[in-house]
Amino acid sequence: MQGRGALGLSPLRDLRALSAGDWIATGPDPALALGPAAAVAALSGRTVRIRCRPEGASPVLVVEAEGMEARRYRLTPHAAEPGTDDLIRLPAATRALQIEPGSERFRLDAVAVEPVGRAAAGLFRARKIVERLPAQERRPLRLLRRALGLLRTVPPGEILRRLTRAAATAAPPALYADWIAAVEVPSLPSAETMRRLVEALPDRPTFSVLMAAGAGDEARVGASLAGLQAQIYPDWELCLATQAPFPSVDEPRLRPCIPDGPGEAAALQACLAAARGTHIAVLEPGAVLAPPALLAFARRLTAEPDLDGLYADEDRLGPDGARTDPYFKPDWSPETLEAGFYLGRPTFYRTDRVRAVGGFRPECAGALDYDLALRLAEDGARIGHIAQVLCHRPAGAALDDAAALRALEARVARTGGTGEARRLAEGSYALRRALPERPLVSIVIPTAGRDSLIGQNRVNLLDNCLASIRTRTRYDAIEIVVVEHGVLPEPAKAAMTRHGARGVVYADPAFHFAAKMNLGARTASGEVLVFLNDDIEVITPDWIEAMLALLAIPGVGVVGPKLVFEDGSLQHVGVVFGEGFPNHVRRGFPGDDAGDHGSSLANRNYLAVTGACMMVRRADFEAVQGFDETYPVNYNDIDLCLRLRERSLRVVYCAEARLHHYESRNRIPVVDPSEQARFRRRWGAQVARDPYYPAVFGVRPPAFRLDAERFPQAARGMVEAWR
């Protein structure tokens, strides 16, 4: 241990020293303490630089201070030297610093903690940002030009905020218990306030909860009934079909239902027939509605009377009764619904709409409410979402995958097509419709014909891209249009001839992605356009069919594939918005990453997909006048997706289409400040809230992980929802 300000390192819990610097865990929660306590206290309220050299560990620094929850920071590997190097602002009244190694056996030495002044901190942040830039962007003149552009277009305070955040040490995901304490509990109105809200409702819907219970479910039914009796909102009934004796409770809102035959479908049909409420929802025995749940549903349905269905977020109850595994859901997402029953529970539907579509079909027993949701969606039901956790479901409750696949295949048959549904993982499915027609697809590729390293080989990117299209693509109704940026090198020209690509020259020497794409689209003949970077290589032979099958769904306007880096890690599985700007979700995660409830594994709706590969119908592209050429470099693809969405067209990430993208894995996006300012002016208000990415999740980077920094914003949103 060296360096001014170095603190001593000692085992705090669940650790044993093997030798100097070498440790082995002796329990489930190993941690080291930095001390002595007086030296730690002396650093309170100061910015400190912390360095260490770990081997076999991914250390997390835990900062404890009086009057606040512990803060955790995942220490960052240095870009050019071994070990980690971080700058962290310690809160006032810091009382303890700990290091959690995150592994069972590891080495940790050269730990140093020292305070730094404002100037040194600024230089440190600047160096970290510059080190992460592409080599060409680190040239002094490029840096100076970009800095001057920022100063002209962005206020100094905002520049400082961006620089600080860009160089900030990443925190591990926050705990769900922290979210409950920091967001949910302080945001909910009091019981007295909720009673006043009930009295203020001009029109009160009645809720019928349908429940089919089996032998041995008595205690679970009792828990669900107790949850209903704890509701502030009084207008409900529990329609219960059970093989066991009915609960002997004095509750007039408990209504026994006698099925016509055996099975869950018959039980729920009996409940549906007996229901007197305006809206129905299915709950399994043991599912407990949160006390404000029915009031939240009633207020939203009263405010939006044309809603046919309304769902909320949920979590699970562990064996000890603790709340775990939250599911913060996206807003209404038709293609996400085909990839899994993300609506879950609780979901209330208009009783008359459920009866009109036939209720519960016995052939889908095990996935009855998933099948119901699919049929209601086909019937044009308008579905809403309450972004609050309003149901605590028993652990282990899940769909029967075979029944879910039957429901999906029936959906295709009802909508007049053919197709195949496959299980990807528990609760995640791939529904592939057969193509009703095989339109000509024009693949538009802009290129300067440059070479690059792929693996250990230097290759011409255009040649590599064209060869992969011609040799691996199964779809045959394609044409390739290459937009030549100036005079291409001979290897690129020869590749175009060899692979049958048609060229059009973009003569302006300045780089202008939007103009090149528009030129290529005008030159192309296809009914469907695919915009493709030249550093793409095809992986799945049916990538075009998979994307076309989604584009053929009425209401879908843009489709983008899964892109992976050269090392197989994720580059693109959809674009989400945080703080008003777009970013790739789960970028850098392993290639087989399932994501959040299958978000990487299965098709999903997003606000945007990347222009590195996107598919759009020519008619839709021309209806919005193509790419906006006021965005020559950045945001042109995102802007296109958002303008198509303004025309009520959805954007879909297609998980079954996979391609390599030989972009530098560690590249930091470099954005022209004027384009950024223009994007914020045009779209800032519309993307301030991403309907497909809940506000409680982190945005630096976006990964569907709880982030304590976002808790205040999420709490404000919940407070607003109750006003």
Side-chain angles (χ1 to χ4, degrees), residues 390-437:
L390 297 180
C391 187
H392 316 306
R393 298 178 63 189
L399 289 183
D400 176 271
D401 285 332
L405 294 177
R406 289 194 295 273
L408 287 167
E409 288 167 352
R411 175 184 181 87
V412 176
R414 285 191 302 270
T415 53
T418 59
E420 176 191 14
R422 294 184 296 107
R423 179 187 185 275
L424 300 173
E426 183 178 307
S428 292
Y429 314 107
L431 176 59
R432 175 76 68 86
R433 293 171 174 81
L435 296 177
E437 54 187 17

Side-chain angles (χ1 to χ4, degrees), residues 440-445 461-482 494-503 532 536-545 659:
L440 177 64
V441 175
S442 296
I443 303 175
V444 178
I445 305 173
L461 286 176
L462 179 63
D463 190 3
N464 187 71
C465 177
L466 295 177
S468 76
I469 293 172
R470 290 303 191 191
T471 61
R472 297 179 196 164
T473 300
R474 192 160 61 198
Y475 193 83
D476 55 0
I478 63 172
E479 70 165 358
I480 301 175
V481 175
V482 173
M496 290 174 59
T497 301
R498 185 164 57 254
H499 299 298
R502 185 152 53 96
L532 192 73
I536 296 286
E537 181 179 318
V538 173
I539 297 174
T540 50
D542 60 346
W543 66 288
I544 288 182
E545 290 94 330
L659 304 96

Side-chain angles (χ1 to χ4, degrees), residues 577-590:
F577 286 77
E579 301 177 340
F581 291 109
N583 203 348
H584 289 199
V585 69
R586 296 183 82 82
R587 177 187 172 106
F589 277 65

Side-chain angles (χ1 to χ4, degrees), residues 12-297:
L12 179 66
R13 59 180 178 268
D14 294 346
L15 276 176
R16 177 168 58 88
L18 297 176
S19 60
D22 290 308
W23 303 88
I24 187 168
T26 59
D29 189 23
L32 294 149
L34 287 161
V40 171
L43 297 172
S44 293
R46 304 190 68 178
T47 298
V48 299
R49 183 179 182 184
I50 177 168
R51 287 168 287 174
C52 66
R53 193 164 56 230
E55 295 178 18
S58 300
V60 169
L61 178 72
V62 182
V63 181
E64 294 185 352
E66 294 288 345
M68 61 181 293
E69 294 289 331
R71 296 181 180 177
R72 286 174 161 79
Y73 303 89
R74 190 174 302 283
L75 299 182
T76 311
H78 195 284
E81 301 172 7
T84 67
D85 196 358
D86 293 88
L87 203 67
I88 294 171
R89 174 81 174 181
L90 297 180
T94 295
R95 64 184 183 187
L97 298 176
Q98 302 168 16
I99 292 180
E100 297 175 348
S103 57
E104 294 183 359
R105 187 165 180 161
F106 62 95
R107 180 174 179 82
L108 186 67
D109 60 12
V111 179
V113 182
E114 58 182 325
V116 295
R118 183 174 297 180
L123 289 173
F124 178 91
R125 294 187 179 106
R127 178 176 59 79
K128 286 194 74 171
I129 293 169
V130 170
E131 285 174 349
R132 295 165 59 197
L133 291 172
Q136 64 271 22
E137 295 294 332
R138 294 200 294 265
R139 297 169 184 166
L141 287 178
R142 296 291 293 271
L143 289 172
L144 178 62
R145 194 157 45 238
R146 195 159 298 281
L148 292 174
L150 276 171
L151 290 170
R152 285 195 302 269
T153 58
V154 180
E158 173 67 9
I159 292 174
L160 179 61
R161 187 183 71 89
R162 291 185 193 176
L163 292 176
T164 300
R165 291 192 170 186
T169 300
L175 301 175
Y176 183 42
D178 295 340
W179 178 89
I180 294 172
V183 178
E184 183 181 270
V185 172
S187 304
L188 291 177
S190 67
E192 181 181 345
T193 299
M194 286 192 279
R195 290 188 186 96
R196 289 200 300 267
L197 291 173
V198 171
E199 293 170 0
L201 286 173
D203 184 24
R204 285 169 35 178
T206 302
F207 297 112
S208 295
V209 175
L210 316 186
M211 184 174 292
D217 279 340
E218 294 90 340
R220 287 184 285 272
V221 170
S224 298
L225 178 58
L228 285 166
Q229 291 172 320
Q231 294 296 302
I232 300 298
Y233 189 82
D235 302 331
W236 59 266
E237 64 178 4
L238 174 60
C239 300
L240 177 65
T242 179
Q243 302 171 14
F246 284 94
S248 56
V249 295
D250 183 18
E251 177 50 80
R253 293 170 292 185
L254 175 61
R255 304 195 58 217
C257 303
I258 309 301
D260 293 337
E264 183 188 15
L268 290 179
Q269 281 292 85
C271 293
L272 177 62
R276 294 178 294 197
T278 56
H279 295 79
I280 66 101
V282 176
L283 288 186
E284 67 266 51
V288 178
L289 292 179
L294 293 184
L295 175 58
F297 276 94

